[in-house]
Structures are given as structure tokens and as C-alpha cells.
């Protein structure tokens, strides 16, 4: 079993819809949780970063962490065609120069 | 700032050939990483370097070697390429500084081994 599980999709939704992306994990030591966005033929870029449990909002994006269930989510409100990308969750146990464990990524397409 | 740069962008090798993938960052970061990305497998860590002069194996190190030449540069070498090493390779760096433990990625090298 992988340490981090992520539904690979693909996921297609109409423009303006709310998108929910999820990851589950098995390592209870993970404390730092990230979402990276990767456009086609580009390197990943950090989108959201959260520590421990709770919610974090940044514009149309909300990241949620439920450590008791070992479950993290990324919500995208009012989705736009420019949100079409692959979204990878990532997590680590410690801060600093630390290795990250990535999910496999979910490919999202927003249909105009 | 160029960020993280990688060369070459594309490469085709024959089985058994060798090559070195180059990576450089201009952000004065301590940590650097090499990943490979394959369909359905996500990003898998090959090797990383927590600081200049140190390197450690990641999840999939077999068939690869690395050199942290200085603080800026981290190269990945394939001594005898195999078709299973066909992949997209990403280099990344991390400052390890608050508030975000962010890894910055290069544009990737697409490698095909025939």
C-alpha cells in the first residue's frame, strides 16, 4: 500500500463548478500538507500549504486537513478553464530541508 | 532570477548509453532533489542533497548516480541507460525557510531510452 493515495481521475467538470480533490495517507507522522499544480509539460508549482489540521483559504482555493481521518482535500470554487491541470498532494513529517511524499496526481479539465 | 534550470529539455538514448542531466538553481537553496515522473506513479524521489557535500538515496535510486558539484548545481547520471528509465525527470530545490516549506521545480527533461 502506498503511503499517499490519490484518485488519478481524469476529472472533467463544467466551468463555474466546485471541484473537490482528495488524498488519503497512512503515515501519522505527516504534519505538513501541500497541494502542487502542474500544467501540461511544466514542472509542479506550490499552490497551497497547510500545517496540521484545519482549513486554509486563498482566493478560490481552500485546503482542508483532517489528521484524525488521515484525509486532505482541495476545493476549487468557481472553477475556470485556466484551472485545468494536474493537482498533486504532497506531505512531510518535518519542516525544513525535508523529503516530500507525493500522491500520483489528479488530472482536472474544466470545460468552458 | 532564473529559478531552477535543467538541461537538456529532451534526450533520446539507446540502451546502454550514458548521459548526465544537469540542474542549477540561483536561489541560494541548501536542498536539491531529483525526481522522475511516470504515468500513474506520480513523482518519485531518486536522490536528494540536503546540503552541499551530502547526497542520499530516495525511493528509486537504482541505475542512477548524483553529484552535488557546489551549492548551485546537482547533476544526475545514468551510467547504462535502460528502457525502464524512460521518464520525465525533474530537479527541485528548497530553501527550508519559513513560512512555506516550498520546493521549486525545474521545467523537466523528457528522456526516451530505446
Amino acid at each position: 500500500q502506498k503511503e499517499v493515495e490519490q484518485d488519478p481521475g481524469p476529472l472533467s467538470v463544467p466551468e463555474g463548478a466546485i471541484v473537490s480533490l482528495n488524498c488519503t495517507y497512512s503515515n501519522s507522522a505527516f504534519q505538513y500538507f501541500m497541494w502542487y499544480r502542474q500544467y501540461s509539460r511544466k514542472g509542479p508549482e506550490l499552490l497551497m500549504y497547510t500545517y496540521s489540521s484545519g482549513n486554509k483559504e486563498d482566493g478560490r482555493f481552500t485546503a482542508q486537513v483532517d489528521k484524525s481521518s488521515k484525509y486532505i482535500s482541495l476545493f476549487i470554487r468557481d472553477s475556470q478553464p485556466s484551472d485545468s491541470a494536474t493537482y498533486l498532494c504532497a506531505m512531510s513529517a518535518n519542516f525544513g530541508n525535508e523529503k516530500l511524499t507525493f500522491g500520483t496526481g489528479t488530472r482536472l479539465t474544466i470545460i468552458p | 532570477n532564473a529559478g531552477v534550470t535543467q538541461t537538456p529539455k529532451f534526450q533520446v538514448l539507446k540502451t546502454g548509453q550514458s548521459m548526465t542531466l544537469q540542474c542549477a538553481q540561483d536561489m541560494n537553496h541548501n536542498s536539491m532533489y531529483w525526481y522522475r515522473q511516470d504515468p500513474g506513479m506520480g513523482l518519485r524521489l531518486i536522490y536528494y542533497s540536503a546540503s552541499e557535500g551530502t547526497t542520499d538515496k530516495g525511493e528509486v535510486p537504482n541505475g542512477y548516480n548524483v553529484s552535488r558539484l557546489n551549492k548551485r548545481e546537482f547533476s544526475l547520471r545514468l551510467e547504462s541507460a535502460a528502457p525502464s528509465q524512460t521518464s520525465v525527470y525533474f530537479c527541485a530545490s528548497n530553501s527550508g525557510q519559513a513560512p512555506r516549506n516550498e520546493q521549486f521545480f525545474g521545467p523537466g527533461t523528457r528522456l526516451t531510452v530505446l
Side-chain angles (χ1 to χ4, degrees):
Chain A
Q1 184 188 3
K2 291 182 181 178
E3 267 192 309
V4 179
E5 299 278 0
Q6 183 175 7
D7 186 341
L11 181 62
S12 295
V13 300
E15 183 175 353
I18 296 175
V19 176
S20 172
L21 304 169
N22 311 294
C23 288
T24 59
Y25 63 95
S26 57
N27 188 345
S28 58
F30 288 146
Q31 298 188 82
Y32 298 90
F33 303 93
M34 289 138 274
W35 287 94
Y36 280 80
R37 180 174 60 194
Q38 184 178 22
Y39 291 114
S40 181
R41 296 185 172 265
K42 301 286 187 184
E45 295 177 305
L46 184 63
L47 180 64
M48 296 288 286
Y49 177 86
T50 54
Y51 168 67
S52 194
S53 285
N55 292 0
K56 186 172 184 178
E57 188 173 319
D58 184 0
R60 298 184 294 109
F61 299 89
T62 300
Q64 282 187 353
V65 175
D66 182 348
K67 289 188 69 180
S68 63
S69 301
K70 297 189 179 67
Y71 188 86
I72 70 171
S73 300
L74 177 70
F75 297 96
I76 307 174
R77 292 184 299 280
D78 187 25
S79 55
Q80 304 293 312
S82 59
D83 296 327
S84 297
T86 296
Y87 290 80
L88 301 106
C89 63
M91 43 199 82
S92 68
N94 301 299
F95 190 86
N97 299 310
E98 180 71 10
K99 296 181 291 182
L100 299 181
T101 302
F102 283 86
T104 54
T106 300
R107 180 177 291 183
L108 172 67
T109 300
I110 307 299
I111 304 166
Chain B
N1 279 355
V4 179
T5 57
Q6 292 182 237
T7 56
K9 287 187 169 50
F10 302 93
Q11 184 72 48
V12 178
L13 293 177
K14 294 181 179 178
T15 297
Q17 288 185 317
S18 63
M19 79 161 295
T20 300
L21 282 67
Q22 306 286 355
C23 173
Q25 52 91 9
D26 61 1
M27 296 173 283
N28 201 35
H29 288 172
N30 289 319
S31 297
M32 297 186 73
Y33 309 81
W34 275 106
Y35 294 91
R36 60 177 290 174
Q37 187 173 38
D38 304 289
M41 303 294 289
L43 282 163
R44 293 184 292 169
L45 184 65
I46 305 171
Y47 270 94
Y48 70 104
S49 171
S51 62
E52 185 179 355
T54 68
T55 60
D56 285 287
K57 295 178 180 179
E59 182 184 353
V60 288
N62 291 346
Y64 305 95
N65 286 301
V66 291
S67 295
R68 184 73 183 266
L69 305 170
N70 47 55
K71 193 170 186 180
R72 289 187 64 249
E73 298 173 287
F74 189 38
S75 62
L76 178 71
R77 182 160 179 83
L78 286 70
E79 290 291 351
S80 179
S84 60
Q85 294 178 304
T86 293
S87 187
V88 182
Y89 291 85
F90 288 101
C91 177
S93 70
N94 182 354
S95 69
Q97 300 293 317
R100 305 203 312 179
N101 192 26
E102 181 173 359
Q103 288 194 9
F104 293 83
F105 285 81
T109 294
R110 294 182 173 272
L111 175 66
T112 301
V113 183
L114 302 175

